[in-house]
C-alpha cells in the first residue's frame, strides 16, 4: 500500500507535468489508439483497461472520451455479468466512478446492476445520486421510483405522519430521561426521531444506529438540519455488531427502539434486545424492585408487548393462499397436485417460506369476519433478559378458542399492544385508527373448513428462529379432535369431517384417484400469492380461452381455404417448414399453429392454448416443479406431451425465442404479460410488443391487442399520508419532511381502490390507450378532460386497466376476482375543484411508466360567466 505522502507526491507530479513529458504523451496516444481499436474489434475488456490508463494519465481527455468510455464500460460489464464475474464487474464500475464521480449515466447503470444482484439499498443510492445530478434524467427517475417504492417503504411516511404515535414515544422517552436515564441508544433510528426526542428531553449522551445506508444518510441530514449533528452520534451499523467501548464509550441507561413489524418480532427485536442487555445496556433494575439510581441501571422503551390473535374468515386472504377451483379455462385441475402459498408456519423453517404476511384488515376488499374473540397469544417483558432468552426454547403453547361465529377458517390475524411504559401504549389492532398492518397467518388446509359456534379451535403458539408462529392445528367438536394440519398428521382428504365443503372434497378425492400412480405423495408446488389468485380467477382464463379459440378457429379456417385454393395435392411444404419453430418434433407440423406465452411466473395460458386445437404451445414457466404441474395437467387433459414446450429450458437469452427463426413470421399468437401485480404496466411492454408484431404469421395476434388505462379524480388523505410527511407538525416540530420526502414516489402501487378511503370527484375516464398491434396508434402524451362531479381537493388519480384480448373479449384489472392491484398517481400539488369544473389531465407515458399532472381548464363560455370565477380560476391554476 502506498502511503498518503507518496500518493500525494505522485499526484502532484502528474498534475504538473502531463504536457511536458513526451514519453507520457506517446503512451497516452498509443493507449488511446489501442482502446479505440479494441473497441472496434469488440474486445471490450482490453479496451476498458486502455481507456483507464489513458484517462488516469490524461484527465484532460475525459470530456473527449466520455461517451466511448461509457460504451466500453457497459459492454464489458454485460460480458462480465453474463459469465458471473460479479466482483470484477463492480470493480470496473468503481474504477469508472473514480474517474467520473458525477456521471449520472454510469451511476444509473451501476444501480441497475446492483438492483439485479439484489442490492436494493445500494441500487437506490445510485439512482438517487444520478437523479440529484440530473433531475430530468428519465431513466434514473424511473429506476429510482421503482426502487424507492420497494425500499423506503410507505410505513416511514405513515409512522412519521402519525402524530399520536410520535407523541406517545416522546412522552415515554421524556419521562425516562427526566427520571434519570441520561445515556440513550436509539436502535434502528430511521430518520432519527426517537434519538432527537431523547436529546430534546435533556439526555446527556445520545447514540443511534441504523443498518440501512439510505436511512443512515437520511438521518445524518435530518440531525444536521435540526442542529443535533454534534450532540447525537449516529452509527451506520446493526446494533448486534456494536461493542463497548469500540462504538459507544460505555453502557447506556436507556435503549429506545421501534424495530417491530406487524408480527412484532420480524425486525429482530428479540435478538437485538438480548444483545443490548448483554453488551450495551447497564444492568436492569433488580427483580425485587429495589430502587437503584436510574442512571446506573438499564431499561428499554418499549417495556414490553402483548400479542393478540383472532381467527377470521376472509375471502380475499383465501383466494390468495389456497387454490380453490376444479376447472380453469376449460382444463380440469384435478391433477395439479398440492399448490402451496409461500406463507406457512406449520412446516420446518425454510428460507422460501414466510410464517406470515401482512395486511391492513380494514382495507381488505370484501372485509373479514371474526370467528373467535381476540385472544392473548403472548406477553413479553423487554426488560427481562431471561424471558427474552427463554422465548425460543419455550414449549409450544396450546390454546383452545371458543368459536363465536360460523364461518370458513381462512387465517389467524395477529396484532399487538406495545407498552412503551406504564402509562403509554400503542396498539396495532385492526379496529385502531392507525397506520399499522396486521400479521396474517393463513391456514394451510386443502379443503375448506367451516367452524361453527360450539367448536373450539386449537391453536399452537411457538417461537422459532425469532418469529412468533401461530398454527391452527385442530378443531374440537363434539368431543372429537379434528386435525387441520394435514401435512403433520392425518389428512382431511382421507378423513372427511362434517361441514367441510363437499365439492372441494370431491375434487380432492378425484385428484387423488387420477394421479395416484404417478404423483409422489409429497409432491408440492409453491406459487406466489398473486399466482394463486390468478389461478383462482376463472374469468381471466375463460376470457383467454375464448379469445384463443376464436383465433385458432379463424386461422384454421384460413388455412383450410388456402389449401382448397391450392388444390388437393398442392401442399405448401416449403413455407410450412420454414415457419416451423426450432425444437419442433411434431409430425403434423404443417397443420400446427404456434402459440407463445411470455407471461412471467406461473401461467396456464400455453396449456389452455394447446388444449384448443392443433396448437403447439411454448410456455415461459421456468421452475421445474411448476413445469411438472403443467406436464401433469397436459396429460390429464389429453394434451399430447409434444404440444407443450418449455422454451426457457433451451434458450439462455429471453429475447432469443422471439427472434427465431429470423426473417419469418411464425407465431399464430403471442401472449404478453402486460400488467404487473402491483398495478403498473410492465417495463418494456411496448418494445416487446413491437418485436412480437414482426414475428406473427398473417392473421396472427398479440394478446392482449390493446390496453385502455382508466382513471378517476379522487380526494384521498390516506394517499397523501402515505406519500409524504405533511410538514413539521406531525413530527413533533422536528424538521424531517424535506429529507424523507426526497423519497416520495408519485405513483402508488398495490392499492385496493375498492377499499381506499377517498372521495370520488369525477366519473371514471379513459386516460390512455396502448395499442399493442399497432405502433402508429400510440402516443406518449395525451391531454384528457374530465369534469369534476363535486367540489373537493383532487389529491390523486387512481388508475386501472381494461385489457382487450380482441374486439369483443376484455378483462378488467379492477374486477373483484382480479389478481391485479391498482395504482395511483399522487398529484404534486392538490388541485381544488368545484363541481362542474373541467380538469385537464396531462397524461404522459414514458417507457411504460405513467405520470399525470392536472390543471383546471374550464370551457371559455363557463369562464366568462363571472369575473370572480375567472380570478378564482387563475389562482387555482397557479
Ligand atoms: N413497521 C411498521 C415498522 N433496524 C417497521 O433498517 C410496526 C406496520 C408496522 N438498525 C404494523 C406494525 C408496524 N440495528 O430503518 C429500519 C431498519 C432499522 C436496525 C440497526 C438493528 N438491529 C436494526 C433492526 C432494524 O430500524 C429501522 C426501523 S425497523 C422497521 C420498523 C409498529 N404494521
Amino acid at each position: 500500500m502506498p502511503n498518503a505522502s507518496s500518493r500525494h507526491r505522485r499526484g502532484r507530479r502528474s498534475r504538473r507535468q502531463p504536457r511536458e513529458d513526451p514519453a507520457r504523451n506517446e503512451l497516452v496516444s498509443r493507449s488511446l489508439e489501442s482502446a479505440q481499436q479494441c473497441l472496434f474489434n469488440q474486445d471490450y475488456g482490453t479496451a476498458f483497461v486502455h481507456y483507464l490508463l489513458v484517462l488516469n494519465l490524461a484527465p484532460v481527455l475525459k470530456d473527449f472520451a466520455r461517451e466511448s468510455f461509457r460504451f466500453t464500460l457497459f459492454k464489458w460489464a454485460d460480458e462480465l455479468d453474463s459469465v458471473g464475474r460479479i466482483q470484477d464487474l463492480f470493480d470496473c464500475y468503481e474504477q469508472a466512478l473514480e474517474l467520473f464521480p458525477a456521471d449520472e449515466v454510469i451511476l444509473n447503470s451501476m444501480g441497475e446492476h446492483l438492483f439485479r444482484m439484489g442490492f436494493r439499498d445500494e441500487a437506490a443510492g445510485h439512482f438517487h445520486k444520478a437523479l440529484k445530478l440530473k433531475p430530468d434524467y428519465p431513466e434514473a427517475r424511473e429506476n429510482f421510483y421503482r426502487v424507492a417504492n420497494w425500499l423506503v417503504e410507505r410505513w416511514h411516511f405513515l409512522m412519521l405522519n402519525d402524530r399520536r404515535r410520535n407523541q406517545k414515544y416522546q412522552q415515554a422517552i421524556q419521562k425516562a430521561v427526566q427520571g434519570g436515564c441520561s445515556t440513550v441508544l436509539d436502535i434502528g433510528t430511521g430518520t432519527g426521531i426517537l434519538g432527537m426526542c431523547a436529546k430534546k428531553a435533556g439526555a446527556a449522551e445520545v447514540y443511534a444506529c441504523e443498518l440501512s445506508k439510505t436511512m443512515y444518510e437520511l438521518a445524518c441530514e435530518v440531525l444536521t438540519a435540526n442542529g443535533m449533528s454534534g450532540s447525537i452520534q449516529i452509527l451506520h451499523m446493526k446494533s448486534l455488531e456494536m461493542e463497548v467501548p469500540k462504538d459507544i464509550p460505555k453502557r447506556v441507561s436507556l435503549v429506545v427502539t421501534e424495530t417491530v413489524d406487524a408480527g412484532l418480532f420480524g425486525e429482530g427485536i428479540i435478538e437485538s434486545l438480548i444483545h443490548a442487555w448483554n453488551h450495551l445496556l447497564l444492568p436492569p433494575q433488580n427483580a425485587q424492585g429495589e430502587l437503584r439510581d436510574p442512571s446506573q441501571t438499564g431499561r428499554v422503551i418499549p417495556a414490553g408487548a402483548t400479542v393478540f390473535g383472532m381467527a377470521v374468515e376472509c375471502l380475499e386472504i383465501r383466494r390468495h393462499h389456497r387454490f380453490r377451483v376444479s376447472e380453469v379455462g376449460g382444463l380440469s385441475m384435478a391433477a395439479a397436485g398440492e399448490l402451496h402459498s409461500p406463507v406457512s408456519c406449520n412446516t420446518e423453517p425454510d428460507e422460501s417460506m414466510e410464517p406470515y404476511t401482512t395486511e391492513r384488515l380494514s382495507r381488505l376488499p370484501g372485509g373479514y369476519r371474526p370467528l373467535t374473540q381476540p385472544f392473548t397469544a403472548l406477553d413479553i417483558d423487554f426488560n427481562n433478559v431471561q424471558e427474552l432468552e427463554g422465548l425460543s426454547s419455550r414449549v409450544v403453547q396450546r390454546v383452545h378458542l371458543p368459536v363465536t361465529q360460523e364461518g370458513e377458517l381462512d387465517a389467524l390475524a395477529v396484532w399487538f399492544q406495545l407498552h412503551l411504559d406504564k402509562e403509554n401504549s400503542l396498539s396495532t389492532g385492526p379496529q385502531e385508527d392507525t397506520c399499522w398492518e396486521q400479521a396474517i397467518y393463513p391456514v394451510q388446509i386443502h379443503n375448506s373448513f367451516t367452524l361453527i359456534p360450539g367448536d373450539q379451535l386449537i391453536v399452537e403458539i411457538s417461537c422459532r428462529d425469532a418469529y412468533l408462529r401461530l398454527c391452527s392445528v385442530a378443531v374440537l367438536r363434539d368431543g372429537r379432535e379434528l386435525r387441520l394440519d394435514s401435512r403433520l398428521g392425518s389428512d382431511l382428504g382421507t378423513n372427511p369431517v362434517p361441514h367441510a365443503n363437499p365439492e372441494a372434497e370431491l375434487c380432492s378425492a378425484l385428484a387423488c384417484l387420477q394421479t395416484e400412480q404417478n404423483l409422489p405423495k409429497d409432491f408440492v408446488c409453491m406459487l406466489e400469492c398473486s399466482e394463486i389468485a390468478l389461478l383462482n380467477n376463472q374469468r381471466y382464463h375463460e376470457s383467454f380461452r375464448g379469445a384463443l379459440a376464436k383465433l385458432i378457429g379463424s386461422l384454421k379456417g384460413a388455412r383450410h381455404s388456402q389449401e382448397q385454393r391450392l388444390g388437393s395435392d398442392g401442399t405448401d411444404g416449403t413455407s410450412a417448414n420454414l415457419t416451423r419453430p426450432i425444437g419442433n418434433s411434431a409430425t403434423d407440423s404443417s397443420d400446427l399453429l404456434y402459440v407463445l406465452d411470455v407471461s412471467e411466473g406461473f401461467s396456464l395460458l400455453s396449456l389452455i392454448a394447446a388444449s384448443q386445437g392443433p396448437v403447439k404451445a411454448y410456455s415461459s414457466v421456468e421452475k421445474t416443479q411448476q413445469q411438472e404441474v403443467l406436464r401433469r395437467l397436459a396429460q390429464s387433459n389429453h394434451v399430447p406431451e409434444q404440444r407443450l414446450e418449455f422454451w426457457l429450458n433451451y434458450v439462455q437469452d429471453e429475447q432469443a425465442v422471439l427472434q427465431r427463426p429470423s426473417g419469418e413470421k411464425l407465431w399464430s399468437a403471442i401472449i404478453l404479460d402486460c400488467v404487473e401485480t402491483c398495478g403498473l404496466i410492465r417495463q418494456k411492454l411496448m418494445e416487446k410488443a413491437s418485436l412480437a408484431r414482426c414475428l406473427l404469421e398473417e392473421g396472427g395476434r398479440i394478446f392482449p391487442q390493446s390496453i385502455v388505462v382508466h382513471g378517476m379524480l379522487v380526494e384521498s388523505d390516506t394517499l397523501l399520508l402515505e406519500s409524504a410527511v405533511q410538514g413539521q407538525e406531525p413530527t413533533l416540530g422536528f424538521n424531517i419532511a424535506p429529507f424523507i420526502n426526497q423519497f416520495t414516489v408519485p405513483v402508488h402501487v398495490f392499492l385496493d381502490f375498492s377499499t381506499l378511503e377517498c372521495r370520488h370527484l369525477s366519473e371514471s375516464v379513459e386516460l390512455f390507450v396502448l395499442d399493442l398491434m399497432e405502433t402508429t396508434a400510440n402516443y406518449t402524451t395525451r391531454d384528457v378532460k374530465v369534469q369534476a362531479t363535486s367540489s373537493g381537493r383532487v389529491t390523486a388519480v387512481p388508475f386501472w386497466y381494461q385489457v382487450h384480448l380482441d374486439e369483443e373479449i376484455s378483462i378488467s384489472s379492477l374486477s373483484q376476482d382480479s389478481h391485479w392491484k391498482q395504482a395511483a398517481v399522487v398529484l404534486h400539488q392538490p388541485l381544488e375543484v368545484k363541481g362542474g369544473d373541467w380538469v385537464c389531465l396531462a397524461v404522459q407515458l414514458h417507457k411504460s411508466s405513467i405520470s399525470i399532472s392536472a390543471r383546471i381548464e374550464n370551457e371559455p363560455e363557463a369562464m366568462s360567466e363571472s369575473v370572480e370565477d375567472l380570478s378564482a380560476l387563475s389562482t387555482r391554476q397557479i
Side-chain angles (χ1 to χ4, degrees), residues 155-156 159 187-190 209-212 215 237-240 258-262 267 272 416 418 428 435-438:
W155 55 255
H156 278 292
M159 280 171 66
I187 294 182
T189 193
C209 65
E210 171 54 56
L211 64 87
S212 141
M215 291 314 295
M237 64 195 319
K238 194 167 185 171
S239 67
L240 296 171
E258 200 183 16
T259 49
V260 286
D261 71 335
E267 288 284 343
S272 308
F416 56 87
L418 209 51
T428 68
C435 55
W436 310 122
E437 295 185 323
Q438 290 77 48

Side-chain angles (χ1 to χ4, degrees), residues 218-237:
L218 203 61
C220 292
E221 287 186 69
V222 169
L223 294 187
T224 307
N226 289 276
M228 294 200 194
S229 60
S231 49
I232 299 178
Q233 195 191 333
I234 171 160
L235 301 152
H236 173 215
M237 64 195 319

